[in-house]
Amino acid sequence: MPKKKKLAIIVHSGTLDRIYCAFILGSTATAMDMETHLYFTFWGLNMLVKGGLEKAGLPATYKHMEEQWKKKLGEMKYPTPYELLKRMKASGLLKIYACSPTMQMFGVKKEDFIPEVDEIAGAAAFLDLASDADITLLV
Amino acid sequence: MPKKKKLAIIVHSGTLDRIYCAFILGSTATAMDMETHLYFTFWGLNMLVKGGLEKAGLPATYKHMEEQWKKKLGEMKYPTPYELLKRMKASGLLKIYACSPTMQMFGVKKEDFIPEVDEIAGAAAFLDLASDADITLLV
Amino acid sequence: MPKKKKLAIIVHSGTLDRIYCAFILGSTATAMDMETHLYFTFWGLNMLVKGGLEKAGLPATYKHMEEQWKKKLGEMKYPTPYELLKRMKASGLLKIYACSPTMQMFGVKKEDFIPEVDEIAGAAAFLDLASDADITLLV
């Protein structure tokens, strides 16, 4: 059996534009039968906390466009970030990591997370898998 | 003939500091005889719309420095982003992609683009070429 | 002797959240015996100027959390960015590059830098080493 291609993304951001970017890349990758690894750190970690994805907005630079953009996505019936995450998860090809030092920094506990989180891991675990990935990105 | 090295950049940002970063890397790469692929998505997509590059400014964090910085670049006769793009294009080594889902999201049409755009493509096309690239970055 | 794994990061950002991200990845990499290359450009370049790391704060989107976050890090006795940088440097595995075109753009001179800077280099030097790296990221 040939080895699957592998995508590894550090999700540092917690704004809707960058979360969509990571999740569109990730769901395209799983649809292409690629192993997909998302490592959530800093502001991204909040996206794993229950209700976090639903609260995400645009960064300061684009804040004035937020309401209009969210309305547009709703009219297009564009999948929400959580729907994209569940779609990736359903493929069996997505692994979600929560950054342990960030958890300590922000006082986040394991029981605060959505159930889709696979593993709590430090940067060493990410570097290990990224050094073997075909594509590595930081969002 | 040896295969050329390949650089692939996702241009997610639409602010001048990050556009310059992508275009300086890209124009250095083409000068080094590397194949260069720029995939414009989200705020980056607006940089492909006619007049978009000329309107780019600094992000909220650095907005207060914008006028002074632009003036400085003018005094240095630093090439504008569009000049850098045309220089890369002239090398025959640059390929520019516009992200099709973002076009739909922002209501941008093919005829809105500058003529240098090579291809309208989804994330799958980018992942395909990135998985074979020597360097992949997200700006 | 087997070749060491190599991590290459373009440090474009000059905000504390992204500097920590780069330095935590870098110090983890050196602890894993990986060669680590940090190329500082744009806002990142200011982090190499004496006193620059100490002045770094959060970006506009998260500015309101800055004081509280810095206080928290202090209470945790979390290493400062400069401490992390010195720790990486002590490993003998870190190389720090300052982007020469950015120095010109911002009027920064060699003597303004902290002594840990190894080399003043253009984008070509970075692309050269990145094309041979196991992991390449832009922060």
Side-chain angles (χ1 to χ4, degrees):
Chain A
M1 209 174 67
K3 224 183 119 201
K4 286 188 200 301
K5 292 252 181 187
K6 200 194 276 193
L7 168 69
I9 303 182
I10 300 186
V11 185
H12 175 281
S13 302
T15 54
L16 204 53
D17 54 333
R18 293 191 162 249
I19 289 299
Y20 262 123
C21 185
F23 285 12
I24 291 169
L25 287 168
S27 56
T28 305
T30 57
M32 290 166 77
D33 200 33
M34 289 176 78
E35 260 186 51
T36 302
H37 300 263
L38 301 180
Y39 182 80
F40 291 80
T41 184
F42 280 87
W43 317 113
L45 192 84
N46 289 322
M47 302 297 102
L48 298 182
V49 171
K50 282 170 202 135
L53 281 171
E54 288 74 12
K55 270 180 264 172
L58 292 180
T61 306
Y62 301 106
K63 199 68 186 175
H64 59 286
M65 297 167 64
E66 184 174 309
E67 282 318 302
Q68 192 196 350
W69 193 54
K70 283 184 170 177
K71 203 182 143 206
K72 180 84 186 291
L73 292 177
E75 284 167 5
M76 288 170 73
K77 298 194 194 305
Y78 206 86
T80 64
Y82 201 17
E83 282 165 359
L84 285 175
L85 188 146
K86 284 192 249 186
R87 187 183 298 180
M88 287 186 263
K89 206 65 197 167
S91 72
L93 292 162
L94 174 70
K95 219 167 152 187
I96 295 179
Y97 306 80
C99 168
S100 44
T102 308
M103 288 173 67
Q104 200 192 347
M105 224 182 243
F106 288 143
V108 172
K109 290 190 194 68
K110 201 183 164 178
E111 53 268 33
D112 300 329
F113 288 143
I114 52 175
E116 286 82 4
V117 175
D118 291 289
E119 206 174 308
I120 291 167
F126 176 79
L127 289 174
D128 234 0
L129 74 91
S131 68
D132 185 41
D134 298 279
I135 307 175
T136 304
L137 297 166
L138 185 144
V139 171
Chain B
M1 210 174 67
K3 225 183 117 201
K4 285 186 200 305
K5 291 252 181 189
K6 201 194 277 192
L7 168 68
I9 303 182
I10 300 185
V11 184
H12 176 281
S13 302
T15 54
L16 204 54
D17 55 332
R18 292 193 163 247
I19 289 299
Y20 262 123
C21 184
F23 286 12
I24 291 169
L25 287 167
S27 56
T28 307
T30 56
M32 291 166 77
D33 200 32
M34 289 176 77
E35 261 186 50
T36 302
H37 300 264
L38 301 181
Y39 182 81
F40 291 79
T41 185
F42 280 87
W43 318 112
L45 191 82
N46 291 322
M47 302 298 103
L48 297 182
V49 171
K50 283 171 201 133
L53 281 171
E54 288 73 13
K55 272 181 263 171
L58 292 180
T61 307
Y62 300 107
K63 199 68 187 175
H64 61 285
M65 297 168 62
E66 186 174 308
E67 283 319 302
Q68 193 197 351
W69 195 53
K70 284 184 170 178
K71 203 182 142 204
K72 180 82 185 292
L73 292 176
E75 286 167 4
M76 289 169 72
K77 300 195 194 302
Y78 206 86
T80 65
Y82 200 18
E83 283 165 359
L84 286 175
L85 187 146
K86 283 192 250 187
R87 188 183 297 180
M88 287 186 263
K89 205 65 198 167
S91 73
L93 291 162
L94 174 69
K95 220 168 149 186
I96 297 180
Y97 307 80
C99 168
S100 43
T102 308
M103 287 173 67
Q104 200 193 349
M105 223 181 244
F106 287 143
V108 172
K109 290 189 194 69
K110 201 184 165 176
E111 54 267 32
D112 300 329
F113 288 142
I114 53 175
E116 286 82 4
V117 175
D118 291 289
E119 206 175 308
I120 290 168
F126 177 79
L127 290 173
D128 235 359
L129 74 90
S131 68
D132 185 41
D134 298 279
I135 307 174
T136 304
L137 297 167
L138 185 144
V139 170
Chain C
M1 209 175 67
K3 224 183 117 203
K4 286 187 199 302
K5 293 252 182 188
K6 201 194 276 193
L7 168 68
I9 303 183
I10 299 185
V11 185
H12 176 280
S13 302
T15 54
L16 205 52
D17 53 333
R18 292 192 163 248
I19 289 298
Y20 262 122
C21 186
F23 286 12
I24 291 169
L25 287 167
S27 56
T28 306
T30 55
M32 291 165 78
D33 200 32
M34 289 176 77
E35 260 186 50
T36 303
H37 301 263
L38 300 181
Y39 182 80
F40 291 80
T41 184
F42 281 87
W43 318 113
L45 191 83
N46 290 322
M47 302 297 102
L48 298 182
V49 170
K50 282 170 202 135
L53 281 170
E54 288 73 12
K55 272 181 263 173
L58 292 180
T61 306
Y62 301 107
K63 199 69 187 175
H64 60 286
M65 296 167 63
E66 185 174 308
E67 283 318 303
Q68 192 196 350
W69 195 54
K70 283 185 170 177
K71 202 181 143 206
K72 180 82 185 291
L73 292 176
E75 284 167 6
M76 288 169 72
K77 299 193 194 304
Y78 206 87
T80 65
Y82 200 18
E83 282 165 359
L84 286 175
L85 187 146
K86 283 191 249 187
R87 188 184 298 180
M88 287 186 264
K89 205 66 199 165
S91 72
L93 291 161
L94 174 69
K95 219 168 150 186
I96 297 180
Y97 307 80
C99 169
S100 43
T102 308
M103 287 173 67
Q104 200 192 348
M105 223 183 245
F106 288 143
V108 172
K109 290 189 194 69
K110 202 183 164 176
E111 54 267 34
D112 301 329
F113 289 142
I114 53 175
E116 286 81 4
V117 174
D118 291 288
E119 205 175 309
I120 291 169
F126 177 79
L127 290 173
D128 235 1
L129 76 90
S131 68
D132 185 42
D134 297 280
I135 307 175
T136 304
L137 297 167
L138 185 145
V139 171

